[in-house]
Amino acid sequence: MTLELGSTTARSLRGSVRVPGDKSISHRALLFGAIAEGETRIEGLLPAEDPLSTAACLRAMGADVGPIVAGEPVLVRGVGLDGLTEPESILDCGNSGTTMRLLLGLLAGRSGRHFVLTGDDSLRRRPMARVAIPLAAMGATIAGRAGGNYAPLAIQGRRLHGDTVTTPVASAQVKSALLLAALTADGPTTVIEPARSRDHSERMLRAFGADLEVGGEGNRSVIVRPGAVLRGQHVVVPGDISSAAFWLVAGAITPGADLTVENVGLNPTRTGILEVLEQMGAAIEILNPRQMAGEPVGDLRVSHGPLRAFAIEGDLIPRLVDEIPVLAVAACVAEGVSTIRGAEELRVKETDRLAVMARQLGAMGARLEEHPDGLTISGGVALRGAEVDSETDHRVAMSLAVAAQIASGTSRLRRSAAAAVSYPGFWDDLARLQS
Ligand code: S3P
């Protein structure tokens, strides 16, 4: 689908928007609900393609996951820690790296059962050895293309050994896969990551009853002791800060804008975007801070104003990893030269987001330099409307829509439908906020 965006008569953005449920928390609520005893009731689950992939895989293994309808609670009747059955066919994870990686960890320990995981063209190109290798150290048997790095991946489930495992990258998907594998291992497991990644699994597994402890230097290690029974919970999913990020940047860079984004999850392992926008001098206020089912939440108000360049690197990267494409758009508008370093992980997301953003923003007249691990972006450049392409990546699609908002003239965005992977209502919300 090609969408026409922006116009020569610039329109501002005003009003309130409620972003859909957090994608990371939605996947976890479905997965943990499926392996708990009893019923899990999920409110605010993200009704988008990625969580639907997780739900379909779980149903194919005997979990009773009720219909996923926007605005209605989702009921999951769990099968217990070792209750998933061998599926009759291949499990399709679609575009979702979280589905594939977390399932690898969960299924590797399902003794005597065989599973095959695949995904779309993008997912079959994403590295899985980062999960398969540490799982193999716990005794898992996983085979796939290119020595087990790429799907389709075959898992022969077996009893795993508890171990101390150091993850090769700061990735919540890798960490979570190992935590799931650890739940039924033959002894305690310690997972140590190089920098702290989002901690939704730790919070939610504990709430479900897992015996799990976070500690060590910089809270980078998690110990799981097997044996605890998970019990169905009532989960309330806050809005996704990674979806809110598009409105935060759009509001900060669009002349005359004043937006309130309601009900946004503010887990400190995810709020790097707010720190960078603050560093840029953006006018952002947190309203009604509150707690929702173990996660901090608030409403965010943003209005247009002058912005300074930013520099991001190191341990901050995992705390805003999905927001870098839209931050690249903000950097085009800011005064000065912005730098993003230590972000080589972006090359193995749904697309190579460093290359794709450099290519697509470049087509709009941005001045960017691409590095192996980041971008250097010169600000104060007037973007112009252009023919651009999401290259099938949801976050690229929405970032380019934000760029088109402040570009002169009209842009045409190819493959705009990619947004439905994490934010199906994005185009409707954009039209409403513009009017
Ligand atoms: C996710 C973790 C991040 C993020 C992805 C969702 C998760 O990936 O980019 O969108 O739900 O655990 P990595 O953990 O691989 O960095």
Side-chain angles (χ1 to χ4, degrees):
M1 192 171 85
T2 300
L3 204 72
E4 205 150 283
L5 293 166
S7 85
T8 40
T9 51
R11 281 181 291 182
S12 196
L13 294 169
R14 303 186 78 85
S16 294
V17 58
R18 216 176 160 85
V19 287
D22 188 277
K23 182 156 80 67
S24 295
I25 297 177
S26 295
H27 284 297
R28 287 158 173 79
L30 291 167
L31 282 159
F32 304 169
I35 56 166
E37 306 276 345
E39 190 174 271
T40 288
R41 180 186 170 88
I42 311 167
E43 277 175 54
L45 184 106
L46 169 67
E49 287 169 13
D50 267 15
L52 290 177
S53 295
T54 293
C57 291
L58 292 170
R59 287 184 188 120
M61 295 183 285
D64 180 1
V65 180
I68 297 180
V69 179
E72 287 183 22
V74 175
L75 300 179
V76 181
R77 191 154 280 287
V79 295
L81 269 179
D82 193 37
L84 292 173
T85 54
E86 186 175 80
E88 284 171 14
S89 189
I90 292 170
L91 299 169
D92 186 357
C93 305
N95 189 244
S96 176
T98 309
T99 307
M100 184 169 282
R101 296 198 176 113
L102 269 57
L103 279 180
L104 279 170
L106 178 60
L107 301 180
R110 307 284 63 79
S111 208
R113 280 151 280 177
H114 172 73
F115 310 89
V116 181
L117 300 177
T118 193
D120 69 6
D121 291 352
S122 154
L123 188 54
R124 279 184 279 105
R125 286 195 292 262
R126 296 181 65 187
M128 296 297 148
R130 54 180 54 201
V131 187
I133 290 173
L135 283 173
M138 295 173 72
T141 306
I142 299 172
R145 294 187 299 121
N149 199 20
Y150 298 116
L153 294 160
I155 305 162
Q156 188 54 52
R158 59 180 76 255
R159 186 84 197 273
L160 302 178
H161 318 299
D163 205 344
T164 294
V165 195
T166 304
T167 64
V169 279
S171 158
Q173 294 179 353
V174 176
K175 173 177 64 179
S176 303
L178 296 166
L179 299 180
L180 284 168
L183 291 174
T184 52
D186 65 3
T189 296
T190 303
V191 181
I192 305 168
E193 46 179 357
R196 192 168 194 212
S197 64
R198 64 192 65 189
D199 67 351
H200 304 298
S201 292
E202 295 89 310
R203 287 174 187 244
M204 205 189 291
L205 279 172
R206 274 173 83 147
F208 272 76
D211 183 351
L212 180 151
E213 219 173 288
V214 178
E217 192 202 318
N219 280 334
R220 288 186 293 109
S221 57
V222 189
I223 303 175
V224 176
R225 291 181 198 88
V229 172
L230 303 191
R231 305 229 177 261
Q233 297 293 311
H234 181 195
V235 182
V236 185
V237 183
D240 198 326
I241 191 168
S242 298
S243 297
F246 302 109
W247 304 125
L248 298 178
V249 171
I253 67 174
T254 307
D258 187 350
L259 293 176
T260 302
V261 195
E262 293 170 2
N263 193 41
V264 183
L266 298 174
N267 179 314
T269 60
R270 298 283 298 281
T271 48
I273 174 83
L274 299 183
E275 287 159 37
V276 174
L277 287 169
E278 193 173 310
Q279 191 187 120
M280 298 179 82
I284 296 194
E285 269 178 278
I286 300 180
L287 311 169
N288 306 317
R290 54 201 186 269
Q291 289 286 323
M292 230 162 92
E295 295 273 351
V297 173
D299 304 328
L300 301 173
R301 182 168 179 193
V302 59
S303 55
H304 173 251
L307 296 174
R308 296 184 290 273
F310 60 78
I312 59 178
E313 62 177 349
D315 290 0
L316 181 58
I317 299 291
R319 297 180 53 235
L320 46 64
V321 66
D322 293 334
E323 289 68 76
I324 289 175
V326 78
L327 279 171
V329 177
C332 295
V333 179
E335 176 156 352
V337 177
S338 295
T339 55
I340 301 164
R341 304 311 293 256
E344 57 278 355
E345 270 297 296
L346 264 74
R347 296 206 180 274
V348 292
K349 293 294 178 187
E350 286 81 332
T351 59
D352 176 344
R353 288 181 173 159
L354 296 177
V356 174
M357 288 310 290
R359 192 153 53 230
Q360 299 300 328
L361 285 178
M364 299 179 86
R367 290 215 310 271
L368 315 91
E369 200 186 325
E370 188 182 333
H371 312 289
D373 68 338
L375 297 169
T376 300
I377 305 166
S378 302
V381 172
L383 297 182
R384 49 174 195 273
E387 182 89 28
V388 288
D389 188 347
S390 76
E391 304 194 29
T392 75
D393 187 321
H394 56 128
R395 299 202 197 279
V396 171
M398 294 182 272
S399 300
L400 293 174
V402 173
Q405 175 68 24
I406 47 127
S408 59
T410 304
S411 295
R412 285 168 58 80
L413 173 60
R414 291 186 56 222
R415 296 189 267 187
S416 57
V421 160
S422 61
Y423 194 161
F426 179 80
W427 304 111
D428 291 342
D429 284 345
L430 176 62
R432 191 172 50 79
L433 295 169
Q434 280 174 330
S435 52

